Amino acid sequence: MMRPAAGTPVSRVDGRLKVTGRAAYAAEHDAHGAVRDVVHGVIVTSTVGKGRITAIDTAAATGQPGVLAVISHLNAPTLPYRPFRGVTDPPRGEHLRVFQDDRVRFFGQPVAVAVAETLEAAQHAASLVKVTYAAERPATGLDAPAGPPNQSENYQRGNVDQALAVAHTRISRTYRLQREHHNPMEPHATIAHWDGDRLTVWDKTQMVLNTRAALASVFGIEQDAIRVISPFVGGAFGSGLRTWPHVTVAALAARQVRRPVKVVLTREQMYTGTGFRPVTEYKLTLGADERGRLTATVHDIRAETSAYEDYREALLTQGQMVYTTPNVRQSYRSIPLDVNTPTWMRGPGAATAAYAIECAMDELAHEAGLDPIELRLRNEPERDPGTGVPFSTRRLRECLRVGARTIGWDDRNPGPRSTRDGNWLIGTGMAVATYHTARAPAQALARIGADGTATVQSATSDMGPGTYTSMTQVAADALGLPVAKVRFQLGDSTMPPAPPHGGSMTMASVGSAVAATCDKLRKQAIALAVADPASPLHGASPDDVVVAGGHLHLRDDPGRGETYRQLLARTKDSLLEARGGYQPGDEVERYSTHAYGAVFAQVAVDERLGLVRVRRVLGVYDAGRIINPRLAHSQAIGGLVGGIGMALLEHTVTDPRDGRIVNANLADYLVPTNADVPDVNAIYLDGNDPEADPLGVKGLAEVVIVGVAPAIANAVFHATGRRVRDLPITIEALL
Ligand code: MOS
């Protein structure tokens, strides 16, 4: 038998394309020959955070050589705009109605676009557009909002007040997280090309079907008239889950100048042209009995949204299911501000909630004189404490045990500020990570051609985790072909529909669809062979036939059989094709399904300077089955590094006077670099979760950023005895 490809560390099948520059990213499709005669659009953005545009002077800009148009609300066509709710959008999506009125809703809003034959001409023209404003002071902070808070999202079980009144230990703390931006390497970019009433768009997106739906809504045309293409995405972390205003700008400009238009956001524009992880304030009260078992928790959360859309993320899930707690009360309010709308960013909701919950658990452990791991073990539930249903799998105890052993937890002196290395104070901290396993309906198309190789398609995306490779592995196993004989294609809205490439659901959803479709195709081939008098398998029972290495044969008599090629040579079109899909069933309600992790961090804090250096980060994960350990590892390391950024560096700073983002560049917005990540490692419990989905996977992308920031914050406390409750932890906070 051929060894299954799933579970093995296959190298990226698209790796060669990427390192040789042959992988076409959104802004490169003209250079790769997909579209000709492309002109360039450069967006002019508002320099005030709120107000009205009183005048736009475009005379100097339009007079420049090579300039084709300068479009603003003064001359833009009215967009039909049908309100829609995209799969990944909050209601309305009004941000896509660009250039429709004189209102400025946030700093950096597109107010005009200069279109020219060359990028340089368009940049120059954009710089010559003079916009005059009647400016107002924008509301950019949670405590001085643009309007009343949005309706609160609430949850309650048991009687919290009663339980807190008699609690043996009680702590109440407020944790704050600053705004963070995704900052993928590849900027957001769009090329739009109209052919009559048909629109083709090359876009950076995590869901081609979402971009298609958004454009259909904005331009009032049928989805069938639009094709969205996005074969490669250079990182996104959630920034590609929505369609952003520049996509409308490109399509609108292309229609006006009757040429394909390319719009690439500058790094600075990425800070206002896409979303971000919202500023969040999380007040948490914990009550526990004399043994450290939680009796009550109260979660009061406020997070920013824009004044024109109500963005929310899953901030309440963890507080309901992570620990046994009979009494829970939660409220979550989004606060409208004069900013652009936040959006999903890696581990959305969970990474934020885990920061508060896991720091508070550390504080409770300290207060109660308990080991932080022992405290978690004492609060480990047998069933989901929120819904009462069983966990599909929950191997958190094992994650904690393996992590503690690997990091040498028992060797640490538990006292804060007890360990030093010269001027460095040394600390070790830990935190628990969880992320809900999401699944969604997905479809795929699979074909085997005359040469015996297969092509499999689904309109999913690959922003970096290795979708091309993992899907190829799953398809190869189901078809009985080697990986080299299978090609997986994605990123085109004409392919069978797939859910957003986000929420860690791609492997579970699209992977299961690929497996089902390829199973169907293999069975089709077997059925054809056993029914064909010319086949050596004629008359055999289909159940006795297996396929390995592209060879169909009897399980008990490998000598009797034939290859896909031989079989197909006798068919009419020399082609076999199947469409299939995956539809989550009621297991979604019958089981509580989450990925789990135990995260450990060792830090050194310079006693005199307050400087924090991470020495080691380790995550141990229960993520179900791992399809490709090499890709999983890359995914996990990326998440852990993202968590280091969240803990110590990342912070988008807004000037309250005008809403300007002060550090809208990669020199001033700090992300971890190699020197910041000396020893980062991840371990996966060998496992399989058959209740989660047919592949047994639970999703890995999000859980690996969850819990990192609190593990580091808890390590900083252990090192210094100082509890910092605001992220990122800065030098100033430790001096
Ligand atoms: Mo991830 S925030 O679901 O791209």
Side-chain angles (χ1 to χ4, degrees), residues 650-731:
E650 295 188 53
H651 177 189
T652 305
V653 182
T654 305
D655 186 330
R657 293 170 301 179
D658 57 4
R660 186 175 73 94
I661 292 175
V662 174
N663 57 343
N665 60 72
L666 286 175
D668 297 312
Y669 181 100
L670 303 179
V671 296
T673 57
N674 284 341
D676 298 306
V677 291
D679 181 356
V680 177
N681 202 10
I683 296 172
Y684 318 92
L685 303 182
D686 190 23
N688 180 21
D689 189 335
E691 314 298 350
D693 49 77
L695 286 180
V697 302
K698 295 205 286 182
L700 186 67
E702 324 290 331
V703 75
V704 289
I705 197 171
V706 179
V708 184
I712 291 172
N714 295 339
V716 168
F717 171 74
H718 181 233
T720 63
R722 295 276 289 276
R723 190 61 80 172
V724 181
R725 300 188 183 90
D726 290 6
L727 290 187
I729 298 171
T730 58
I731 287 173

Side-chain angles (χ1 to χ4, degrees), residues 360-381:
M361 286 296 277
D362 202 67
E363 299 206 42
L364 178 65
H366 184 67
E367 200 98 345
L370 278 171
D371 176 82
I373 295 180
E374 176 60 23
L375 178 67
R376 267 76 171 188
L377 292 173
R378 290 188 186 186
N379 286 285
E380 182 64 7

Side-chain angles (χ1 to χ4, degrees), residues 407 600-602 614-619 637 640-641 644 674-682:
I407 202 94
F600 293 80
Q602 277 175 358
V614 171
R615 289 196 168 177
R616 191 174 177 192
V617 178
L618 169 73
I637 299 304
L640 292 165
V641 171
I644 295 174
N674 284 341
D676 298 306
V677 291
D679 181 356
V680 177
N681 202 10

